[in-house]
Amino acid sequence: MMKKLKLLVLALVLLLILVMVFFSYIYKGNRSALQPTSTLSQEELIQRGAYLARAGDCIACHVAKDGQPFAGGLGIASPVGMIYTSNITPDKETGIGNYTLQDFDNALRYGVRQNGDSMYPAMPFPSFAKTSDEDVQALYAYFMHGVQPVSAANRGTDIVWPLSMRWPLAAWRMVFAPEAKPFTPAPGQDAMTARGAYLVQGLGHCGTCHTPRNGLTLAERAYSDQSPLYLSGSATPIDGWVAISLRGDHRDGLGSMTEEELFELLKTGRNSHSAVFGGMADVVNDSLQHLSDDDLRAIAHYLKTLPAANSSDQPFVYDDKVAQALSSGDVSQRGAQVFVDNCAACHRTTGKGYEQTFPALAGNPVVQGADPSSLINIVLKGATLEGTQGAPTSYTMPAFAWRLSDQEVADVLTFIRSSWGNQAAAVDAAEVGKYRSQLPPGSDKPVPLTP
């Protein structure tokens, strides 16, 4: 009896696999032929496409370190292995020079390559699915006629078999990817909010990092603001950095930032409260600072319409007890002496930093986030805030991996996360040690000063 049951289970598994294989070959994602409808001239289309490529931050993924623009080759670490981005220059041998408009649309909005293979969702086609037909045509014109062809062979993934098989991705698209359908404004939505929503949900693909994913399928748990999970922050670190909530939460979101302050942060990478770092610094440098003020204001305006994800959210209230203690020389609290010796010169004993220069720690959503990974990494590795068009001065926070032990890092971060009104959990030395073990060799040595 047990043997028959095992055979029955095996037969059902094989049948399921056959069904999935069948659907992977016939499933087209309801693709319809894209007909050229734009009234713009070829030159205008190319210019428009160049701007949209900036909005989509295409260059961030499709250029390797020291590589040619859009020639691909950048390694993207995924839970199943390394995925390398493809060459999207118009080279006919190694790029997309032989792609028709329909081929391009299939890849951009449906996640299907010219040969019919499904793409890994490292390519944010679930977000690009909302791109308008006119913008797809402009992007195609730019990549076909405004980008320099580069001969650079595409590299296969480092994903082991059977996870490297492509056919299950078609089933993934069928179940988890939203329907490829141009964005439509919500009923009663004004033009400015709609424009911001289109950029955020579509080409900006903000949800790719700022929306939590399902741990098993890796699909984003929401693709629109109809769900409170949308843009509520990443559930796991991305390359060691945690993408904060972009909703109205005060503790770990944008609730304490005005619309004008958010616009300033998107445009320059800094404002009176905060500064970008990690992957977001690249987004500002490569994409956001190149957008028009109107589009940046639309993005800020839309984001500020999103309510807090936490129903019990409360405004941040500054508490000056720690500032007064430090001012009087009281460093008895654990981590306080480490803070005074290493952090106070820039971030001040008040925790308020210096506007436009060194970000405030008091009320900072990164400081108060549930996951301290970003804080640990920035203390160990340091970070540089590159100059932008709107704020050309560059500032650097030095790395402290060579100077502070795991326990000292944990102590000072715990102190910061519980001072000036901040309310976040303590940091454990073991968490610090995990990230220290991932640092390149030599990171525990002092960095020599340049003359």
Side-chain angles (χ1 to χ4, degrees), residues 81-280:
M82 190 69 74
I83 300 169
Y84 296 92
T85 58
S86 58
N87 181 345
I88 57 172
T89 74
D91 182 71
K92 291 185 177 295
E93 298 297 325
T94 61
I96 60 172
N98 293 316
Y99 271 49
T100 65
L101 173 60
Q102 187 63 54
D103 293 333
F104 184 83
D105 186 35
N106 289 342
L108 183 75
R109 296 196 291 188
Y110 297 88
V112 179
R113 301 187 338 189
Q114 188 184 46
N115 65 0
D117 284 347
S118 293
M119 296 180 179
Y120 289 97
M123 162 68 173
F125 61 85
S127 295
F128 292 165
K130 296 187 177 183
T131 308
S132 69
D133 292 354
E134 293 79 6
D135 283 352
V136 173
Q137 293 170 56
L139 283 164
Y140 178 72
Y142 171 64
F143 280 105
M144 290 298 110
H145 306 290
V147 171
Q148 185 68 29
V150 178
S151 178
N154 291 304
R155 180 174 176 178
T157 69
D158 289 341
I159 300 173
V160 299
W161 190 89
L163 297 177
S164 60
M165 294 189 297
R166 293 273 180 170
W167 63 263
L169 294 174
W172 187 97
R173 287 191 298 110
M174 181 171 58
V175 176
F176 300 109
E179 179 185 0
K181 185 178 180 181
F183 172 85
T184 54
Q189 195 171 54
D190 64 271
M192 186 178 186
T193 306
R195 176 63 179 172
Y198 172 67
L199 291 169
V200 168
Q201 296 180 25
L203 281 175
H205 61 283
C206 304
T208 302
C209 292
H210 291 274
T211 297
R213 292 177 180 266
N214 185 295
L216 181 63
T217 66
L218 303 181
E220 293 168 45
R221 297 183 66 185
Y223 290 102
S224 78
D225 54 25
Q226 297 301 304
S227 167
L229 289 172
Y230 184 64
L231 301 181
S232 63
S234 63
T236 55
I238 303 168
D239 293 330
W241 306 105
V242 176
I244 68 167
S245 170
L246 299 183
R247 302 185 69 90
D249 301 83
H250 288 82
R251 188 174 75 89
D252 56 358
L254 302 178
S256 298
M257 205 176 294
T258 68
E259 188 173 314
E260 184 63 26
E261 288 168 340
L262 179 53
F263 162 75
E264 191 174 13
L265 186 69
L266 297 174
K267 184 178 177 66
T268 68
R270 65 201 78 179
N271 63 20
S272 58
H273 294 286
S274 190
V276 298
F277 60 91
M280 193 62 198

Side-chain angles (χ1 to χ4, degrees), residues 305-371:
T305 68
L306 302 179
N310 182 358
S311 59
S312 60
D313 175 70
Q314 295 292 325
F316 172 78
V317 178
Y318 183 80
D319 186 337
D320 68 350
K321 291 187 181 66
V322 168
Q324 291 182 14
L326 295 180
S327 179
S328 66
D330 180 1
V331 290
S332 59
Q333 187 174 341
R334 189 167 187 170
Q337 187 66 63
V338 180
F339 177 81
V340 170
D341 292 344
N342 299 276
C343 315
C346 294
H347 298 286
R348 303 170 64 193
T349 55
T350 61
K352 294 182 178 181
Y354 291 93
E355 291 189 9
Q356 307 296 329
T357 307
F358 303 119
L361 301 177
N364 191 309
V366 176
V367 171
Q368 298 187 94
D371 190 328

Side-chain angles (χ1 to χ4, degrees), residues 38-98:
S38 177
T39 58
L40 298 177
S41 68
Q42 182 76 342
E43 182 178 348
E44 289 173 328
L45 270 176
I46 294 172
Q47 292 177 350
R48 177 66 179 165
Y51 179 84
L52 294 169
R54 283 290 192 184
D57 202 10
C58 304
I59 201 167
C61 290
H62 288 278
V63 58
K65 184 179 180 181
D66 301 323
Q68 296 296 309
F70 305 115
L74 179 71
I76 298 178
S78 78
V80 295
M82 190 69 74
I83 300 169
Y84 296 92
T85 58
S86 58
N87 181 345
I88 57 172
T89 74
D91 182 71
K92 291 185 177 295
E93 298 297 325
T94 61
I96 60 172
N98 293 316

